[in-house]
Amino acid sequence: MSDYVKNYIYQEHIRVKHVVIEDAIEEICNMQQFDKTDKMLFTPAALFAAAYASEQKNDSGSAYVSYKYPKQNRSYTAICETDGRIRGYQESYTPPDSNAENILLIAGVKLAARGDYQSAVMAQDVEAATQAFFNNSSQTEAALRFGSNELLWVEYLPGHGNAASDAQRQKIRKELSDVIKDVRASEMKFLSELPISFGCTCSKRKIKQTIDTAQIKNLEFPLEVTCKFCGKKYSITEIS
């Protein structure tokens, strides 16, 4: 299956973003030795990271998304470059007492020209957390729906969703809810596609910079370093 983020216009005032990722997720799961539960919990991060990266037009950089699950004591992070390369990993997570039930979502971008941005939200499930993040980060109304390996994201175009009253906002949300349940392909206009594939940005230079920044004393060379994203091994004989 081809992995992608496709962008459409629906009925001239609603943007539709359709994300499908299967092969890249399989590669990441194999690399990270994820079991079925890991894969299920990691997949939303990969889907949303790809969708978020595709939003960053005319800029090099990456989008990152972490879902932290308190009941499983696990955190899953996906990082997607604006050129479509995606990778990810899992870490242990111990929630504070105040967040013993809710999923914590941390998402942001690292962009060469515009700098970094990050936001964090909490909610009872993945879709609610993602929706809350979107509402906090955008000036338009939107709706999201996750599938087993796909994400459907619909939103009003800027200028159309800036409703002045609660009644207007409720009407917009009802329309978005109806659209996300039944998007008519014949009424969609294709805009663009971003191919998604497993890929890493590691290099010997970046590893040397990380070691140098950490200021670790009494290092014994050569160092054997393995990238946690792609498994590539590097032999470091000196830092300078």
Side-chain angles (χ1 to χ4, degrees), residues 48-49 52 55-56 63-67 104-109 117-123 125-140 142 144 153:
F48 189 45
Y52 199 20
E55 289 286 283
Q56 316 309 319
Y64 57 93
V65 173
S66 293
Y67 288 100
L104 172 62
L105 165 60
I106 299 176
V109 293
Y117 168 83
Q118 177 176 291
S119 182
V121 294
M122 290 186 294
D125 57 51
V126 166
E127 287 196 5
T130 310
Q131 184 68 61
F133 172 82
F134 192 93
N135 290 342
N136 289 346
S137 305
S138 175
Q139 299 301 311
T140 61
L144 301 137
W153 167 344

